[in-house]
């Protein structure tokens, strides 16, 4: 076999049409072997003799796409000094563009066994672990272009590749649960009709199913257990795992783009699947443990701010390079449109504390590729000082956990929530205005993959996670949920009607709040997980979306109402402002009314004491569309587009007075006490001074005719 010196960059395996360049970083290695794996179980070892700046490299003519390979690293195995080299382990390439196979947990892949250090003479692990794959980078993207949806027009739909598609009746069985299913017209049609602009996929980086879950007959369904930051998860491919997963993922992105839908990836750069010191040696640990991981004072162990056993070392230039290379690869080669960063506070831990000016954010800010896509932070981790909502740099948007909590509290009747609810409804200026960000920095959500579904939020007071096998100890215990009078399934007509109304309240509040709304997949159908608020290991019908059957009236009504709310938001810019409200008339307009005004149910302007009243659970909000002075989507000036939002979160019906001097005539466009929610344009007319009776825990939206 010919072996040429090759190049130290780019890292990983790079096919050029005639052969493949291999390059891998390790500061601790004494010698590295590239192992080419053959279908008969044999392997050919090639020593990487060339080294530049701790990168070993070689070029092998004739090595083609589909070739499986791995590395064996010879070096010190001294856990007390943080070194864990072991040439018996066939290691994945940290830059592998595709990964083949799964782990055989019955064989020797652990770092420690029964509390003792692993032997350097463990059995050959090649047949029992995953392997890296050389991929063909060439793909017919046709005329693919990113939709580049502005934040003020964005509606995010959080979905799981398998969960969204496994039960869809119109999909061929052989593609259900795969990237190909995402590209199917039935799925794309649902998203476009719903009004979704942006599909946020739960982790599709190659991940590992934990040994404990496999032994228990379960799987790591969510996928927050990454081992390959460049490789699409191979189990989501319908055609094979020797590079076909790359082609299938690219095809899905291309087809979604053709429909005008962006693709955002939920990414996990805070830790890896190798876990704690008791976990498996699969990749980074065996290549250069101390360079990749944040080690504890005793270097046998790891500092863990993620709750997973380890944290990547965010002050290591090689870790930062890997993350940035990965992000750029997914944008430039896979054409994704942005990222949601899991436990993003860990990325800011350059040393111990969370530092909003850490090196990672500096690199993102100056990167000409990554800085131009959507960047969404989950602004917390489990470490000390990890809750950082509102504290990320101006380039970033954030999952607004305070929006979720406040909206849940309002509708379940918690006292003293009205003032904070006003802030959350209008874009959370208290969190984002001081650093120059706008309402669009707030990614608003009521539910997501982690926690109760929308139906379970109104059906359960307590979590019911027994199916996870942890005696119901896992998952959040404080859910800010309310079961509407009965725990779980119920046949009580009043309870069921209230639950349906509460779901409409949550959806309407989400869609009519300033910021960027995010729906969780299946909530438009009212899916349930039977009270399980931590379905991370439930790769089954409990967690999959149950697509409705024809004639299911309740499901169809909720789906139609959700779609109406999404389109009401998209059709009226006053619900998706680029700037915060000022509470005064806008200069340069002829309208003397303030851009926003707050009223009590009696139609009187809210006073300071009204906001502070502990039991206050009702208010009216005037949104002045004619005061919007910014240009529309196509450069035109926005005309009159004004609304009154009436919220009754009280447990009894209340009379609301339509405020005077803010519009003579109004039309009811939303009424959540009605099963269908009232379609826009079909509601009754009211005039200023009229009294409207709002049912307990309901919401009415009035539109002022232009």
């Amino acid at each position: 076999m010919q072996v040429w010196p090759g190049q130290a960059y780019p890292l990983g395996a790079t096919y050029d049409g005639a052969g493949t360049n291999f390059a891998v970083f390790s500061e601790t290695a004494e010698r590295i072997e590239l192992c080419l794996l053959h279908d008969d179980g044999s392997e050919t070892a090639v020593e990487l003799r060339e080294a530049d700046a701790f990168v070993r490299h070689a070029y092998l003519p004739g090595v083609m796409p589909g070739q499986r390979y791995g590395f064996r690293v010879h070096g010190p195995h001294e856990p007390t000094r943080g070194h864990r080299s072991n040439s018996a382990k066939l290691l994945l390439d940290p830059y592998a563009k595709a990964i083949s196979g799964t782990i055989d947990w019955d064989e020797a892949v652990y770092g420690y066994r029964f509390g003792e250090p692993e032997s350097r003479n463990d059995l050959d692990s090649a047949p029992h672990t995953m392997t890296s794959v050389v991929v063909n980078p060439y793909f017919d993207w046709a005329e693919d272009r990113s939709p580049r949806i502005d934040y003020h027009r964005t509606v995010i739909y959080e979905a799981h590749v398998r969960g969204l598609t496994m039960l869809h009746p119109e999909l061929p069985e052989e593609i259900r649960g795969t990237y190909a299913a995402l590209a199917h017209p039935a799925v794309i049609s649902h998203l476009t009709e719903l009004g979704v602009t942006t599909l946020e996929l739960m982790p599709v980086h190659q991940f590992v199913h934990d040994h404990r879950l496999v032994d228990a007959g379960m799987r790591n369904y969510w996928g927050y257990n990454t081992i390959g930051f460049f490789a699409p998860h191979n189990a989501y491919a319908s055609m094979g795992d020797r590079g076909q997963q790359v082609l299938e993922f690219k095809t899905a992105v291309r087809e979604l783009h053709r429909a005008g839908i962006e693709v955002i990836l939920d990414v996990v750069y805070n830790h890896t699947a190798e876990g704690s010191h008791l976990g498996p040696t699969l990749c980074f640990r065996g290549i250069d443990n101390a360079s990749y991981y944040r080690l504890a004072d005793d270097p046998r162990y790891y500092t863990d701010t993620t709750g997973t056993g380890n944290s990547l070392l965010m002050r290591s230039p090689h870790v930062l390079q890997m993350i940035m290379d990965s992000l750029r690869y997914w944008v430039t080669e896979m054409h994704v449109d942005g990222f949601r960063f899991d436990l993003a506070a860990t990325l800011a831990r350059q040393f111990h504390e969370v530092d909003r000016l850490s090196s990672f954010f500096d690199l993102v800010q100056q990167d000409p590729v990554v800085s131009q896509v959507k960047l969404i932070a989950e602004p917390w981790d489990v470490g000390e000082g990890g809750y950082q909502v509102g504290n990320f740099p101006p380039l970033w948007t954030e999952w607004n956990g305070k929006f979720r909590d406040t909206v849940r509290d309002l509708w379940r009747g918690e006292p003293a929530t009205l003032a904070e609810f006003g802030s959350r409804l209008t874009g959370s200026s208290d969190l984002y205005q001081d650093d120059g960000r706008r309402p669009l920095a707030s990614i608003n959500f009521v539910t997501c993959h982690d926690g109760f579904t929308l139906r379970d939020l109104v059906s359960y007071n307590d979590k019911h996670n027994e199916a996870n096998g942890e005696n119901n100890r896992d998952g959040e215990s404080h859910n800010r949920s309310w079961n509407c009078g009965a725990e779980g399934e119920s046949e009580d007509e009043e309870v069921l009607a209230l639950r349906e109304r509460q779901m409409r309240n949550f959806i309407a509040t989400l869609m009519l709040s300033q910021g960027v709304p995010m729906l969780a997949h299946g909530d438009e159908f009212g899916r349930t997980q039977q009270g399980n608020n931590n379905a991370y290991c439930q790769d089954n019908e409990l967690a999959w979306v149950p697509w409705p059957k024809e004639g299911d009236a309740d499901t169809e009504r909720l789906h139609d109402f959700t779609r109406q709310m999404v389109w009401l938001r998209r059709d009226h810019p006053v619900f998706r402002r680029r700037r915060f409200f000022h509470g005064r008339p806008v200069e340069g307009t002829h309208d003397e009314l303030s851009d926003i005004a707050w009223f009590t149910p009696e139609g009187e302007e809210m006073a300071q004491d009204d906001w502070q009243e502990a039991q206050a659970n009702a208010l009216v909000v005037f949104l002045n569309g004619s005061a919007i002075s910014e240009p529309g989507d196509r450069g035109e000036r926005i005309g009159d587009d004004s609304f009154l939002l009436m919220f009754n979160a009280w447990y009894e019906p209340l009379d609301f007075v339509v405020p005077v001097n803010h519009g003579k005539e109004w039309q009811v466009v939303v009424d959540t006490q009605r099963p269908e929610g009232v379609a826009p344009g079909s509601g009754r007319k009211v005039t200023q001074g009229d009294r409207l009776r709002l049912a307990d825990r309901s919401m009415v939206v009035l539109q002022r005719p232009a």
Side-chain angles (χ1 to χ4, degrees):
M1 174 178 290
Q2 295 185 63
V3 180
W4 298 355
Q7 303 293 327
Y9 187 85
L11 291 165
T14 306
Y15 173 70
D16 64 4
T20 303
N21 189 82
F22 295 89
V24 59
F25 159 79
S26 177
E27 190 170 345
T28 189
E30 297 166 359
R31 187 163 62 92
I32 297 180
E33 291 176 295
L34 165 67
C35 299
L36 304 179
L37 306 177
H38 309 299
D39 290 340
D40 62 5
S42 63
E43 66 180 60
T44 299
V46 176
E47 183 174 351
L48 302 180
R49 298 182 181 276
E50 300 291 330
D52 294 290
F54 300 111
V55 175
R56 311 294 177 101
H57 53 87
Y59 180 89
L60 276 60
V63 171
M64 297 285 112
Q67 173 65 59
R68 295 181 301 130
Y69 70 98
F71 297 114
R72 296 191 184 277
V73 175
H74 301 258
H77 183 83
E78 302 172 356
T80 57
R81 297 178 56 195
H83 302 310
R84 294 182 176 273
S85 299
N86 184 347
S87 59
K89 308 293 185 185
L90 183 73
L91 303 174
L92 291 169
D93 181 356
Y95 278 67
K97 306 300 191 303
I99 292 175
S100 177
T102 58
I103 294 176
D104 180 353
W105 286 110
D106 292 331
E107 297 301 326
V109 293
Y110 280 104
Y112 271 48
R113 281 185 173 180
F114 308 111
E116 297 297 329
E118 65 183 335
S119 166
R120 288 173 59 89
N121 298 315
D122 275 339
L123 295 174
D124 185 342
S125 63
H128 311 290
T129 189
M130 300 180 290
T131 57
S132 306
V133 180
V134 177
V135 304
N136 186 343
Y138 306 108
F139 178 76
D140 182 11
W141 283 105
E143 298 178 355
D144 181 69
R145 296 178 60 186
S146 170
R148 297 190 67 85
I149 308 294
D150 291 334
Y151 269 118
H152 75 283
R153 294 176 53 236
T154 298
V155 176
I156 298 174
Y157 188 84
E158 186 197 33
H160 187 283
V161 174
R162 281 177 63 79
L164 180 63
T165 63
M166 281 298 292
L167 299 179
H168 199 300
E170 297 181 38
L171 299 182
E173 289 191 13
E174 63 270 18
I175 71 168
R176 294 181 184 181
T178 70
Y179 305 121
L182 296 178
H184 193 277
V187 173
I188 291 178
S189 175
H190 173 71
L191 298 176
T192 54
E193 290 177 4
L194 189 61
V196 169
T197 68
T198 305
L199 180 64
E200 180 179 304
L201 293 176
M202 290 175 64
V204 298
H205 287 176
Q206 184 69 49
F207 61 86
V208 172
H209 297 291
D210 315 61
H211 190 196
R212 178 186 66 82
L213 295 177
V214 173
D215 281 351
M218 296 184 287
R219 294 156 59 88
N220 190 317
Y221 168 63
W222 283 354
Y224 292 94
N225 205 30
T226 304
I227 196 62
F229 295 107
F230 296 78
H233 187 60
N234 55 27
Y236 296 161
S238 64
M239 299 185 297
D241 68 358
R242 297 284 187 94
Q244 294 94 333
Q245 60 266 56
V246 177
L247 299 178
E248 195 168 318
F249 180 86
K250 288 180 176 179
T251 300
V253 172
R254 184 185 65 195
E255 296 309 305
L256 287 160
H257 280 180
R258 280 179 176 168
I261 298 173
E262 295 179 310
V263 179
I264 287 179
L265 302 188
D266 192 339
V267 290
V268 188
Y269 292 111
N270 51 75
H271 73 280
T272 80
E274 291 185 304
S276 72
H277 63 287
L278 299 175
T281 297
L282 303 173
C283 180
F284 312 95
R285 174 176 290 153
I287 289 176
D288 195 332
N289 187 56
S291 290
Y292 280 108
Y293 292 116
R294 183 186 296 275
L295 302 182
D297 292 338
D298 181 343
R300 291 177 298 174
Y301 307 106
Y302 298 97
T303 297
D304 177 18
T305 59
T306 65
T308 63
N310 67 57
S311 302
L312 284 172
L313 183 61
M314 295 307 298
R315 66 174 180 270
S316 165
H318 303 288
V319 169
L320 292 170
Q321 179 188 3
M322 179 184 70
I323 294 174
M324 295 305 299
D325 286 348
S326 170
L327 293 170
R328 278 192 297 271
Y329 173 79
W330 285 95
V331 175
T332 60
E333 297 298 321
M334 308 295 268
H335 287 207
V336 304
D337 305 287
F339 306 94
R340 179 266 188 189
F341 292 80
D342 178 65
L343 300 181
T346 292
L347 302 177
R349 292 184 186 273
Q350 188 165 347
F351 294 98
H352 171 72
E353 70 282 355
V354 176
D355 178 6
R356 72 192 297 267
L357 300 178
S358 71
S359 298
F360 172 70
F361 296 118
D362 289 344
L363 290 172
V364 170
Q365 180 72 38
Q366 60 80 41
D367 191 277
V369 173
V370 179
S371 65
Q372 298 306 301
V373 300
K374 285 185 167 69
L375 301 171
I376 304 172
E378 181 186 34
W380 49 77
D381 64 13
V382 300
E384 182 181 355
Y387 192 76
Q388 294 292 320
V389 173
N391 291 332
F392 275 69
L395 188 65
W396 291 68
T397 62
E398 303 175 13
W399 271 25
N400 190 344
K402 292 187 176 182
F403 178 95
R404 172 200 60 202
D405 295 345
T406 303
V407 171
R408 288 186 178 193
D409 280 349
L410 177 86
W411 285 115
R412 71 189 180 112
E414 285 296 292
T417 58
L418 206 56
E420 185 167 3
F421 174 72
S423 179
R424 304 299 156 242
L425 181 72
T426 55
S428 296
S429 60
D430 57 324
L431 299 177
Y432 305 115
Q433 191 170 34
D434 288 347
D435 59 9
R437 287 189 284 178
R438 296 181 178 181
L440 304 169
S442 178
I443 306 298
N444 298 332
F445 65 105
V446 176
T447 59
C448 64
H449 70 275
D450 188 2
F452 281 146
T453 65
L454 181 62
R455 180 169 293 278
D456 289 354
L457 183 66
V458 301
S459 303
Y460 294 90
N461 286 347
D462 303 306
K463 63 184 180 182
H464 296 269
N465 298 353
E466 290 80 6
N468 296 353
E470 300 180 45
N471 296 318
N472 208 33
R473 293 190 300 267
D474 62 303
E476 176 60 57
S477 296
H478 183 47
N479 293 283
R480 302 176 190 266
S481 62
W482 179 48
N483 64 19
C484 297
E487 187 73 359
E489 296 298 319
S490 174
E491 296 182 0
D492 187 309
E493 294 291 340
E494 291 186 5
V495 169
L496 295 177
L498 177 55
R499 289 176 178 177
E500 296 293 330
R501 189 158 71 247
Q502 285 285 68
M503 287 194 288
R504 291 191 290 272
N505 290 334
F506 282 123
I507 290 170
T509 304
L510 174 65
M511 288 301 157
L512 304 183
S513 294
Q514 304 300 319
V516 179
M518 184 185 78
L519 283 168
H521 72 195
D523 275 352
E524 71 272 31
F525 300 133
R527 79 177 184 95
T528 177
Q529 292 178 170
Q530 299 173 20
N532 192 319
N533 73 352
N534 190 33
Y536 75 101
C537 57
Q538 300 297 327
D539 190 3
N540 51 54
E541 293 189 9
L542 180 71
W544 299 340
V545 173
W547 291 80
K549 298 178 181 178
E550 187 174 351
D552 187 340
D554 290 343
T555 298
E556 290 177 358
R557 279 199 302 266
L558 183 61
H559 172 256
D560 288 345
F561 179 77
T562 304
R563 178 173 51 81
Q564 291 167 13
M565 290 302 97
V566 173
W567 285 98
L568 182 65
R569 175 187 180 83
R570 292 186 68 175
D571 289 343
H572 299 285
V574 73
F575 297 123
R576 45 184 178 83
R577 290 169 54 98
R578 295 184 177 102
R579 294 176 174 84
F580 288 108
F581 290 103
H582 299 289
R584 61 178 184 272
V586 176
E587 295 181 5
T589 68
H590 299 293
D591 197 328
E592 297 181 355
L593 295 176
S594 174
D595 57 1
I596 189 170
W598 306 86
F599 301 91
T600 66
E602 291 75 26
E604 300 173 354
E605 290 207 34
M606 293 277 286
Q608 190 64 33
D609 290 344
D610 295 321
W611 289 107
Q612 303 305 321
E613 186 178 344
Q615 297 304 317
N617 285 86
L619 80 160
V620 179
V621 188
F622 169 69
L623 304 180
N624 189 349
S626 65
I628 298 176
S629 61
E630 48 195 288
D633 294 341
R634 298 180 180 177
E636 73 272 14
R637 189 180 183 83
I638 297 171
D640 192 5
D641 196 32
S642 300
F643 289 83
L644 283 171
L645 311 182
M646 296 179 169
F647 298 91
N648 179 21
W650 193 238
Y651 63 86
E652 292 180 338
L654 291 177
D655 286 335
F656 281 67
V657 176
V658 179
V660 298
N661 300 323
H662 284 74
K664 294 182 179 180
E665 293 186 351
W666 298 86
Q667 183 178 30
V668 178
V669 293
V670 177
D671 186 350
T672 63
Q673 69 179 307
R674 298 170 63 92
E676 70 280 5
V678 177
S682 66
R684 67 186 187 277
K685 299 288 196 322
V686 297
T687 60
Q688 60 180 353
D690 282 354
R691 302 183 74 86
L692 296 178
R693 185 81 164 171
L694 267 66
D696 57 293
R697 294 188 172 90
S698 71
M699 176 179 171
V700 166
V701 178
L702 306 179
Q703 182 179 9
R704 188 173 71 187

